[in-house]
Amino acid sequence: MKKAVLEKSLDYMQFQNLIILTFCFVITLLAMLYSLDFGSYILIECFLFLFSLLFIAILFTKKGLIIIDENLYSGIFLFGKPIYKKLIPIIGFDCISIVKGKLSTNYAYSYKIDVFHKWEPDLNVSIKSFKICMIEENQKKIKKIITLTDSKKVKIAVDFIIENSTLKYVELY
């Protein structure tokens, strides 16, 4: 098994929201542990503890690529170990290319309620993205492999794919 761990799997706003949620769970757990009898709410305390551990683990996940027996997988890694993988069939594709664009996420929640929409701040977050895609030779069929936001990691991913598969790199446009 060959692997390339590339970058964190959460965007900035997801990461920020998960930190806030984890903080709330941990503070609630600590308050329950120090203020109540330990046995009275043991089920809730276990629930809070397990979900706090789960949220902390999700904060440390990264996305990347895996090659197992000449098959290409996109994967999620936790401390360098793959915890999830998805097969990307490369049969029928000849080359890979990079499509540049922007990832934009608008976290405005009141777009349907005009009264709230007028004073809600614009929470749009936009960053550069690089989508690595597989392409047929006649460019009629395109399939995404992975989307990254760091140009250095894109070069690592492209080199990893070229080195470990039959795909070659071509420049679009």
Side-chain angles (χ1 to χ4, degrees), residues 65 67 70 72 88-97 132-137 143 145 157-170:
L65 298 170
I67 300 280
E70 311 262 331
L72 179 64
I88 302 169
I90 60 174
I91 297 172
F93 294 97
D94 302 322
C95 48
I96 61 172
S97 186
I132 301 173
C133 299
M134 295 185 297
I135 304 170
E136 275 185 334
E137 192 170 306
K143 183 170 181 168
I145 297 174
V158 168
D159 291 343
F160 178 78
I161 293 169
I162 291 171
E163 180 182 312
N164 296 304
S165 69
T166 59
L167 300 172
K168 56 186 183 270
Y169 178 75
V170 294

Side-chain angles (χ1 to χ4, degrees), residues 133-150:
C133 299
M134 295 185 297
I135 304 170
E136 275 185 334
E137 192 170 306
N138 56 7
Q139 296 185 358
K140 289 189 177 184
K141 195 162 122 182
I142 297 176
K143 183 170 181 168
K144 180 185 90 157
I145 297 174
I146 194 168
T147 302
L148 302 170
T149 57
D150 186 6

